[in-house]
Amino acid sequence: MPLIGAHVDQDDPLAHARARGAEVVQFFLGDPQGWKGPVIGDRTAQIKDSDVAVYVHAPYVINVATANNRVRIPSRKLLGSNLAAAAELGARGLIVHGGHVGAGDDPQTGFDNWRKVFERLEGHDVPVLIENTAGGGNAMARKLERISRLWDALDGFDVGFCLDTCHAHAGGEELADVVERVMAITGRIDLIHCNDSRDAFDSGADRHASLGAGTIDPELILQVCRSAGAPIVVETPADGQAQDIAFLRSKL
């Protein structure tokens, strides 16, 4: 049975874990839509010494792929500061979205910019887990073809992968065999974001739903979780997370 937990508010992750029966928690270290650096707070030792596995999600604004220097350079800085803070918390991974390039830009620019991130990163104790995304025509990690090109660009670096079931469904990737296809590219799946989708297949819309309340067959979601064998985090509406965790435990 893999570890199962939830994305929770950063105010008191351990209390939220207890309330949900979660063995693993994921949270932000600041405003997910802002550029300010991470804030750990006064529970660092408590979180690090707990038996709850911890993952940190990097802010959504980070886009290290872009050709726009005014976004790319602060994105690299913010990624680095979140990595350092995640290490202080003893996190098992820092999840970051794949990002995108502009409509008229060559996607290869984005792949090259990702490689530069790892070339310039100094030693870090927390793995970077790149997450597949739901939308965007010039996204680096929506379609598996793009993820394959990204992994080719990152050859030689220790890069992890986070598979989001809602994002894959909304991004137009069939869940029935997505684990096998991802593993053929990345060689690993480090974390599952286990979410139903409010929107249709290939809609490009990133809107999560509680398990069984969206447009994805729950059995397909369970199949992904069983095949991947990785820790599972539900990023579903907070008031249903305990039920989602209990559902997964009863079926896996």
Side-chain angles (χ1 to χ4, degrees):
M1 175 74 72
L3 295 176
I4 302 173
H7 181 94
V8 300
D9 194 271
Q10 60 199 293
D11 62 337
D12 194 344
L14 297 183
H16 294 308
R18 288 191 295 271
R20 291 159 173 76
E23 302 161 314
V24 52
V25 289
Q26 172 187 284
F27 48 92
F28 294 106
L29 293 177
D31 178 3
Q33 301 289 358
W35 290 99
K36 290 185 178 179
V39 177
I40 294 180
D42 57 1
R43 293 188 172 90
T44 304
Q46 184 183 3
I47 293 171
K48 189 171 185 177
D49 295 340
S50 77
D51 58 359
V52 176
V54 171
Y55 290 84
V56 172
H57 201 303
Y60 296 132
V61 293
I62 289 177
N63 182 8
V64 299
T66 180
N68 184 341
N69 288 341
R70 290 176 293 178
V71 175
R72 186 179 69 256
I73 293 171
S75 291
R76 288 177 181 168
K77 181 179 178 181
L78 191 56
L79 180 64
S81 61
N82 270 266
L83 269 172
E88 287 188 49
L89 290 169
R92 297 189 180 191
L94 176 73
I95 297 92
V96 60
H97 288 182
H100 59 276
V101 294
D105 294 329
D106 182 351
Q108 188 59 45
T109 300
F111 304 133
D112 293 342
N113 284 338
W114 259 111
R115 183 170 183 86
K116 291 173 184 175
V117 168
F118 284 92
E119 288 174 343
R120 298 176 185 186
L121 267 182
E122 297 180 0
H124 54 92
D125 299 325
V126 178
V128 175
L129 310 183
I130 299 177
E131 179 181 355
N132 62 307
T133 51
N138 254 350
M140 300 295 98
R142 173 179 176 174
K143 296 290 188 180
L144 292 195
E145 178 271 332
R146 289 284 180 90
I147 293 171
S148 179
R149 290 178 63 184
L150 176 56
W151 248 252
D152 286 344
L154 297 177
D155 185 44
F157 294 104
D158 183 19
V159 187
F161 190 77
C162 173
L163 175 61
D164 187 304
T165 55
C166 170
H167 295 178
H169 173 81
E173 294 291 350
E174 296 285 355
L175 292 186
D177 61 349
V178 72
V179 169
E180 292 76 10
R181 290 184 292 128
V182 167
M183 290 290 286
I185 293 167
T186 66
R188 60 196 276 188
I189 295 174
D190 299 78
L191 186 68
I192 294 291
H193 280 174
C194 183
N195 306 306
D196 207 331
S197 172
R198 291 168 58 184
D199 297 279
F201 180 80
D202 206 17
S203 63
D206 182 4
R207 300 198 301 170
H208 300 181
S210 297
L211 303 183
T215 61
I216 307 177
D217 179 351
E219 187 54 43
L220 283 175
I221 295 176
L222 292 169
Q223 183 177 322
V224 168
C225 294
R226 293 182 187 119
S227 299
I232 298 166
V233 166
V234 297
E235 298 177 313
T236 52
D239 59 359
Q241 287 180 341
Q243 291 82 0
D244 287 338
I245 290 170
F247 169 75
L248 290 170
R249 287 212 177 100
S250 72
K251 297 295 185 180
L252 295 180

